[in-house]
Amino acid sequence: MGNTRFIPALTVALLLLNFVVSFSTKITTNISTDQLALLALKAHVIDPQHLLTTNWSSAFNICKWIGVTCGSRHRRVIALDLSNMSLSGIVPPHIGNLSSLTWLNMRNNNFHGSLPIQLVNLHRLKYIRLSFNSFYGEIPSWFGSFPKLQYLSLSYNNLIGKIPSHIFEGLPRLQVLYLAVNRLSGKIPLSLFQCKKLEDIDLADNSLEGILPKEIGNLTMLNTLHLHNNMIEGKTEST
Ligand SMILES: *[C@@H]1O[C@H](CO)[C@@H](O)[C@H](O)[C@H]1NC(C)=O
Ligand SMILES: *[C@@H]1O[C@H](CO)[C@@H](O)[C@H](O)[C@H]1NC(C)=O
Ligand SMILES: *[C@@H]1O[C@H](CO)[C@@H](O)[C@H](O)[C@H]1NC(C)=O
Ligand SMILES: *[C@@H]1O[C@H](CO)[C@@H](O)[C@H](O)[C@H]1NC(C)=O
Ligand SMILES: *[C@@H]1O[C@H](CO)[C@@H](O)[C@H](O)[C@H]1NC(C)=O
C-alpha cells in the first residue's frame, strides 16, 4: 500500500492536535468555571439597580467585573464583594465552583433561602460576611469546615434552631463571630471556647439560653462579647 508510511505520521499529527486542544482547554477551564459560576449567580438574582446587568458581560474579562477581584498570578476569582447592591434571590450552588475564593461579602442585600452546601468546597475562605439579608433555616453543620476562616458574620438574618455543637472544632483560626439578631436557640456550644483566637463575639438578640460557661476564660484574646437580649445567665465563680 502506498500510504502505509502516511498512517503513523497522521497518528502522530492527530495525537499532537489532541494534546494541543486538551492543553489549551485545560488552561481556560478555570477562568470559564469562575465565569460560569458568576453568570449563574447573576441569572439567579433580581438586580433592581442594574449594577450587574451590563457590567457582568461575557464581552469583558471577569476580573474587570464590578465586585470581582482576581489573583495576580492565576487570574482566578479570589474575592467577591456584592455588598449594598439591593440584590435579591437565592445563592445558587454554582458559587461552590469559585474554588480560589478567599473573601465573600454579600452584606446588606435581600438574599433569601438557605445557604448552598457547595460553599463547603471553598476551603480557602478566610472571610464570610452575609449579614443583613434574609437567609433562612438552621446554621448548617458543614459551616465547621473552613480551616482558614477568620471572620464569620451571619447577623441580621432569619436563622433558627441551635448552633451546631461541633462547628467551632473546624474553625481554628476564627477571630470574629457575629450571629446577632437571628432566632437562634439552645445553649452556646462548648466547642466555641476552643477557638483561642477569638477577639469579637456578638450573639445578641437571639433566644440563646443556659449559663455562660467558665471556659469563656480560655479566650484570652477576647476583646468584645455581646450576649444581651438572650436568656443567658452569667454566673460568677465566687457564687
Ligand atoms: C484548575 O482547576 C483544577 C481543578 O479544580 C485545579 O486542580 C487546578 O489547580 C486549577 N489550576 C489553576 C491554575 O488554578
Ligand atoms: C464594570 O464596573 C467596574 C467597577 O465599577 C468598572 O471599572 C468597569 O469599567 C465596568 N465595566 C463596564 C463594561 O461597564
Ligand atoms: C456598604 O455599606 C456599609 C454601611 O453603610 C459601608 O460601611 C460599606 O463601606 C459599604 N460597602 C461598599 C462596598 O460600598
Ligand atoms: C459548577 O457547579 C454546578 C452546581 O454545583 C455544576 O452543575 C456544574 O457542573 C459545575 N461546573 C461548571 C464548570 O460550571
Ligand atoms: C480551657 O482551658 C483548660 C485549661 O487550659 C482546658 O483544660 C480546657 O480543655 C479548655 N476548654 C476548652 C473548651 O477548650
Side-chain angles (χ1 to χ4, degrees):
M1 300 290 262
N3 57 358
T4 42
R5 263 183 310 137
F6 180 65
I7 290 170
L10 183 67
T11 310
V12 169
L14 282 175
L15 281 175
L16 203 63
L17 183 68
N18 186 40
F19 173 75
V20 168
V21 169
S22 64
F23 186 69
S24 58
T25 51
K26 213 170 215 130
I27 283 180
T28 55
T29 294
N30 291 335
I31 298 212
S32 66
T33 301
D34 285 355
Q35 184 177 17
L36 286 171
L38 295 175
L39 288 176
L41 178 64
K42 179 184 172 182
H44 278 84
V45 301
I46 297 168
D47 174 19
Q49 298 181 30
H50 302 291
L51 292 167
L52 311 182
T53 314
T54 50
N55 194 286
W56 281 24
S57 155
S58 305
F60 304 99
N61 188 307
I62 56 169
C63 301
K64 303 236 160 81
W65 291 3
I66 190 169
V68 176
T69 306
C70 293
S72 49
R73 276 198 305 139
H74 296 303
R75 310 306 290 160
R76 301 273 332 261
V77 175
I78 57 165
L80 192 57
D81 184 351
L82 303 178
S83 58
N84 312 332
M85 288 188 173
S86 308
L87 303 173
S88 63
I90 62 142
V91 178
H94 306 74
I95 196 165
N97 293 349
L98 297 172
S99 53
S100 292
L101 202 67
T102 61
W103 212 81
L104 176 63
N105 187 356
M106 296 186 161
R107 182 188 185 275
N108 193 23
N109 285 287
N110 293 306
F111 285 105
H112 57 82
S114 50
L115 290 161
I117 188 171
Q118 288 78 6
L119 273 178
V120 84
N121 299 331
L122 307 180
H123 306 292
R124 297 182 183 175
L125 278 173
K126 290 182 181 166
Y127 184 100
I128 300 178
R129 191 167 190 179
L130 303 173
S131 45
F132 295 92
N133 278 287
S134 301
F135 287 112
Y136 178 79
E138 299 193 5
I139 297 177
S141 55
W142 51 256
F143 248 99
S145 323
F146 296 114
K148 298 186 172 171
L149 197 66
Q150 296 171 7
Y151 186 107
L152 175 60
S153 176
L154 302 173
S155 293
Y156 292 86
N157 277 287
N158 293 319
L159 300 172
I160 58 169
K162 293 183 178 170
I163 303 172
S165 47
H166 297 291
I167 58 168
F168 299 108
E169 289 166 14
L171 304 175
R173 308 253 176 109
L174 200 63
Q175 293 173 7
V176 174
L177 176 69
Y178 295 151
L179 301 176
V181 198
N182 280 288
R183 286 181 285 141
L184 298 168
S185 56
K187 293 181 179 168
I188 300 174
L190 271 180
S191 69
L192 179 69
F193 306 105
Q194 294 177 12
C195 298
K196 306 268 185 207
K197 300 193 179 207
L198 272 169
E199 294 172 13
D200 298 295
I201 301 176
D202 190 351
L203 306 176
D205 293 283
N206 279 290
S207 302
L208 297 166
E209 59 185 32
I211 294 169
L212 184 64
K214 64 178 183 333
E215 283 82 1
I216 189 73
N218 285 23
L219 302 181
T220 52
M221 311 285 279
L222 201 60
N223 198 22
T224 57
L225 173 66
H226 295 292
L227 300 174
H228 54 267
N229 292 339
N230 282 288
M231 292 164 286
I232 297 168
E233 294 169 52
K235 194 175 160 195
T236 58
E237 288 295 286
S238 56
T239 55

